[in-house]
């Protein structure tokens, strides 16, 4: 399972691949349609699709002369279940943390009266 997670998260690390996944949420797409909005070669898009296929995020199938891509939700489910394991921790309140840091940094900047 760790190897699967490694492949899934490696595939998700790239913004182009995340954009492709978002596009495939709508419907299955031909590879040429997937490539259309990107300013890269069809070969580069094919490499992205291969990485996503190996990670199990998408499936590719040939229909006639056209290669189609479709979203495979199981890989995302595996990643989601793994991430939910961290849900037991309380979320960090970033505003409160920023206030704490400001106070601490301000206190460090003030000279200590005993050092005079």
């Amino acid at each position: 399972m760790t190897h699967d997670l490694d492949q899934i998260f490696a595939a998700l690390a790239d913004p182009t691949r995340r954009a492709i996944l978002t596009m495939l949420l709508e419907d299955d797409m031909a590879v040429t349609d997937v490539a259309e909005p990107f300013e890269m070669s069809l070969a580069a898009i094919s490499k992205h699709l291969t990485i996503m296929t190996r990670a199990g995020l998408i499936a590719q199938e040939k229909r006639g002369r056209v290669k189609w891509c479709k979203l495979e939700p199981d890989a995302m489910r595996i990643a989601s279940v793994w991430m939910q394991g961290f849900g037991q921790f309380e979320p960090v309140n970033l505003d409160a943390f920023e206030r704490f840091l400001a106070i601490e940094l301000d206190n460090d900047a003030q000279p200590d009266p005993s050092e005079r």
Side-chain angles (χ1 to χ4, degrees):
M1 182 164 152
T2 303
H3 182 68
D4 294 337
L5 280 175
D6 291 346
Q7 286 187 324
I8 292 166
F9 285 116
L12 292 173
D14 185 86
T16 300
R17 293 191 284 265
R18 290 192 306 269
I20 291 170
L21 288 175
T22 301
M23 292 166 48
L24 292 174
L25 278 172
E26 300 291 323
D27 201 3
D28 298 357
M29 296 178 76
V31 170
T32 53
D33 293 333
V34 170
E36 187 179 317
F38 301 100
E39 293 184 17
M40 61 180 69
S41 68
L42 191 55
I45 289 295
S46 291
K47 286 181 182 181
H48 282 295
L49 295 175
T50 298
I51 291 167
M52 295 167 65
T53 301
R54 286 183 185 152
L57 294 169
I58 66 167
Q60 296 184 66
E61 68 178 75
K62 200 154 187 164
R63 298 180 198 161
R65 293 182 171 191
V66 179
K67 198 170 201 180
W68 287 80
C69 302
K70 74 175 196 170
L71 197 62
E72 289 290 337
D74 287 340
M76 291 292 273
R77 197 169 297 122
I78 291 168
S80 178
V81 166
W82 183 84
M83 288 186 298
Q84 286 175 3
F86 294 96
Q88 63 188 339
F89 302 106
E90 289 187 37
V92 175
N93 182 332
L94 294 177
D95 291 332
F97 184 63
E98 185 176 3
R99 287 190 298 272
F100 168 78
L101 284 177
I103 291 168
E104 288 298 310
L105 291 173
D106 188 46
N107 287 342
D108 287 346
Q110 300 290 326
D112 188 356
S114 65
E115 292 179 0
R116 291 185 187 178

